[in-house]
Amino acid sequence: MKSKTYVATVTYRDDGVYQSFALEVAAKNKIQARIIAYSHALFEKSIGIRSIYSVSAFKHKARR
């Protein structure tokens, strides 16, 4: 199965203020895109597991 490009948004709490960032993810489905974004937040950005508020993903319309 061909992987698609998704835009994933991670919302987290940092010192009582909610912040978010978005990244492009190549994944086979939406669940896998969310898992990749979640692990990026944990390991690359070093955000604590309890600070993450939400992780969402949707298909990138420009690239199919």
Side-chain angles (χ1 to χ4, degrees), residues 6-14 17-25 33-48 51-58:
Y6 289 87
V7 175
T9 305
V10 179
T11 305
Y12 62 98
R13 190 176 64 247
D14 186 24
V17 178
Y18 286 95
Q19 298 180 359
S20 65
F21 65 91
L23 64 151
E24 284 190 2
V25 176
R34 290 180 62 203
I35 291 170
I36 293 169
Y38 195 83
S39 60
H40 178 83
L42 290 175
F43 301 115
E44 300 292 325
K45 297 271 191 175
S46 298
I47 298 170
S51 297
I52 295 175
Y53 180 71
S54 71
V55 179
S56 62
F58 58 91

